[in-house]
Amino acid sequence: ERLSVGVPRFSNTLEVVKFLCTEFWHVAFKKQVDNLRTNHRGVFVLSDNDFAWLAHVPGASSTRAAGAVPAGSDGALRAAALVQLQLPAGMLSGALAQLGVPCSVEPDVRA
């Protein structure tokens, strides 16, 4: 909420998501989202190819949030990464709710 003070009111959901991808992500994770995709029907996919919060997951030095698990890794690595993504997903969900966008946030890890 504090980040949006002084910003003109958002006219649609896409503007809110773009704001989160730049301003919110930068404050929370010290970088911008690497990629934002949408189907223009309310589904948005944010990709961060070098998500720092996954750097400490054992064996996942090249793991990417909403990005990649190294090829050949087992389900335990993916499960550990998904556990680490629950807090950022909650932060994103809360930020969207505070900006008036009802949503569900589903973290994912892909190869």
Side-chain angles (χ1 to χ4, degrees):
E1 245 179 86
R2 284 185 262 171
L3 291 175
S4 65
V5 172
V7 175
R9 189 156 182 91
F10 301 112
S11 62
N12 60 39
T13 303
L14 180 59
E15 287 183 10
V16 172
V17 174
K18 285 181 180 179
F19 174 79
L20 291 177
C21 289
T22 55
E23 303 301 323
F24 173 81
W25 209 266
H26 179 73
V27 169
F29 307 114
K30 307 291 189 251
K31 61 177 292 206
Q32 290 184 358
V33 168
D34 293 320
N35 191 10
L36 167 64
R37 288 182 280 158
T38 180
N39 68 356
H40 299 287
R41 294 185 181 133
V43 176
F44 298 91
V45 177
L46 286 61
S47 298
D48 188 334
N49 297 328
D50 190 25
F51 194 64
W53 288 24
L54 293 181
H56 69 281
V57 174
S61 59
S62 64
T63 301
R64 302 182 307 192
V69 169
S73 64
D74 60 4
L77 176 59
R78 185 175 193 282
L82 286 174
V83 168
Q84 296 300 316
L85 294 176
Q86 293 303 310
L87 180 61
M91 292 169 56
L92 191 56
S93 178
L96 285 164
Q98 285 299 110
L99 293 171
V101 178
C103 67
S104 75
V105 177
E106 298 176 23
D108 193 13
V109 180
R110 296 191 185 167

